[in-house]
Amino acid sequence: MSITAIILTYNEALHIARAIRSIQPFVDQVCVVDSGSTDGTTDIAQRLGAEVCTHAFVNQARQFQWALDTLDIRGEWVLRLDADEIIEPDLAQEIATKLPGLPADVVGVNLKRKHIFMDRWVRHGGRYPLVMLRLWRHGHGRMENRWMDEHMVVWGGRTVTFDGGFADHNLNDLAYFIDKHNRYATREAIEVLNQRLGLFARDEALNAHSASFQASSKRWVKERIYNRIPFTVSAALYFVWRYVFQLGFLDGRSGLVYHFLQGYWYRFLVGAQVMELEQAVAHLSDKAAICAELSRLTGHKLVPQSEAPTTPDVDDQRLAPRH
């Protein structure tokens, strides 16, 4: 079974060699889609045998879908890997051993991701395992069209889960972590406002059949329950749930830093940005005008539903490419 890996990059010289080397034992083709790196990322990737192209970045979902629609993908299976992620040797062996023997009705493979923070595995607080669909048969998957929390979804068969090591291990410092999550918060605030105001088409393809049960159930809880609670309450409750009831306190001092920043500060920041943006557009009623104002405030080009293309159904196996 041949495998093509797709990695999106922007100034990932610190990580890209590690990511590529972790998949070289079992991947036949590595495609790197860069969005204008200036730190030598593309040179490193090319030296390691990757096929590199450059494409302007809008958001993660559109960039990855562009790669699926445009690249010369030669593998029978496709692997999605972030530049700061690693496939550990036991999972590399599991993929090489099990993938060729999977029955034809299996179209996707979920992987169990661990998070490494300050060089320590965050084992508790509901952070392991994070079950994510990252490997699928070419032609049976697409990326959700979302500004944040986008997932790969598949159709035409079922998914299975592999158990080997798969790690998110970013080597940058806390300043980078905070800046990244500040940008994430803006994108997630856009999704929350869209949920409330119905500004543009929402991609609802994620479910237990198209990806993992864990991913679909977490989204259901977030969108149906969490987002309807005032953020001044929900962020605190979520942190207590993770840190106390899901045993996050067992992750030590670095775990406290992680759970506080990612489980409280980030969730509070999302809520605060939603509040700020809601106030900024409260005087507007036309959806096109609201999208225009939000685009100005966030720097992201938002298109109202009347102007946006219809999101295809993940169950339609004649799915057309989306750019």
Side-chain angles (χ1 to χ4, degrees):
M1 287 290 180
S2 57
I3 303 173
T4 294
I6 299 176
I7 306 174
L8 306 186
T9 58
Y10 176 70
N11 287 342
E12 290 287 358
L14 186 61
H15 300 114
I16 189 62
R18 185 188 65 177
I20 292 175
R21 289 189 178 114
S22 78
I23 60 178
Q24 282 177 331
F26 66 94
V27 164
D28 305 276
Q29 177 189 21
V30 178
C31 297
V32 169
V33 181
D34 190 74
S35 51
S37 294
T38 58
D39 66 345
T41 295
T42 56
D43 293 336
I44 296 170
Q46 287 174 329
R47 286 200 299 270
L48 290 171
E51 301 172 17
V52 179
C53 66
T54 301
H55 185 255
F57 187 86
V58 175
N59 59 38
Q60 193 87 353
R62 295 187 190 179
Q63 188 81 333
F64 200 90
Q65 189 59 44
W66 178 88
L68 288 178
D69 295 340
T70 308
L71 299 181
D72 177 23
I73 297 174
R74 298 187 292 276
E76 298 171 65
W77 290 79
V78 182
L79 172 72
R80 175 192 175 188
L81 189 72
D82 291 345
D84 59 357
E85 293 175 337
I86 312 162
I87 300 296
E88 296 178 350
D90 63 331
L91 178 57
Q93 181 62 38
E94 186 176 10
I95 292 172
T97 302
K98 291 185 177 180
L99 205 66
L102 291 178
D105 67 328
V106 174
V107 296
V109 178
N110 296 307
L111 305 181
K112 296 180 177 180
R113 191 175 76 172
K114 63 178 71 169
H115 193 87
I116 311 296
F117 182 79
M118 291 185 168
D119 291 325
R120 180 168 177 173
W121 179 3
V122 182
R123 295 172 178 266
H124 305 94
R127 303 306 291 172
Y128 181 79
L130 295 180
V131 183
M132 302 175 169
L133 193 142
R134 288 301 191 90
L135 183 61
W136 63 94
R137 290 189 190 270
H138 186 205
H140 285 266
R142 70 168 177 87
M143 179 66 78
E144 285 186 295
N145 186 15
R146 286 190 166 229
W147 282 96
M148 187 63 190
D149 192 32
E150 69 286 337
H151 287 263
M152 282 302 307
V153 290
V154 294
W155 62 91
R158 60 187 176 93
T159 64
V160 297
T161 301
F162 287 176
D163 294 315
F166 166 43
D168 175 345
H169 186 182
N170 194 290
L171 300 173
N172 286 296
D173 59 15
L174 275 177
Y176 177 90
F177 179 93
I178 290 170
D179 178 64
K180 179 178 72 171
H181 280 76
N182 186 34
R183 288 181 275 113
Y184 283 177
T186 300
R187 288 160 44 191
E188 187 158 350
I190 290 171
E191 286 290 346
V192 174
L193 284 173
N194 186 40
Q195 179 185 359
R196 294 180 180 179
L197 303 177
L199 300 175
F200 47 88
R202 301 182 72 224
D203 198 335
E204 304 283 2
L206 180 68
N207 58 54
H209 301 290
S210 64
S212 74
F213 173 79
Q214 184 195 72
S216 61
S217 60
K218 280 188 172 184
R219 177 176 292 171
W220 188 93
V221 170
K222 183 168 73 172
E223 294 188 346
R224 303 295 179 88
I225 301 174
Y226 181 91
N227 286 348
R228 298 180 181 182
I229 302 172
F231 74 93
T232 51
V233 176
S234 59
L237 291 177
Y238 180 56
F239 173 72
V240 170
W241 169 250
R242 272 176 57 163
Y243 197 69
V244 178
F245 294 98
Q246 292 189 298
L247 306 181
F249 64 88
L250 294 177
D251 288 316
R253 287 196 303 172
S254 63
L256 173 59
V257 174
Y258 176 78
H259 291 301
F260 180 82
L261 289 177
Q262 206 274 338
Y264 178 72
W265 171 79
Y266 172 68
R267 301 311 322 171
F268 195 93
L269 181 61
V270 171
Q273 290 207 23
V274 170
M275 182 178 71
E276 181 182 51
L277 293 175
E278 275 187 324
Q279 291 174 348
V281 300
H283 64 290
L284 301 172
S285 57
D286 178 70
K287 291 182 179 181
I290 294 174
C291 284
E293 180 64 5
L294 291 177
S295 297
R296 184 186 71 81
L297 292 170
T298 65
H300 297 299
K301 186 177 181 181
L302 308 180
V303 180
Q305 188 162 351
S306 59
E307 302 175 21
T310 303
T311 301
D313 188 341
V314 71
D315 293 325
D316 185 353
Q317 297 184 41
R318 299 167 297 172
L319 192 66
R322 293 161 50 250
H323 298 280

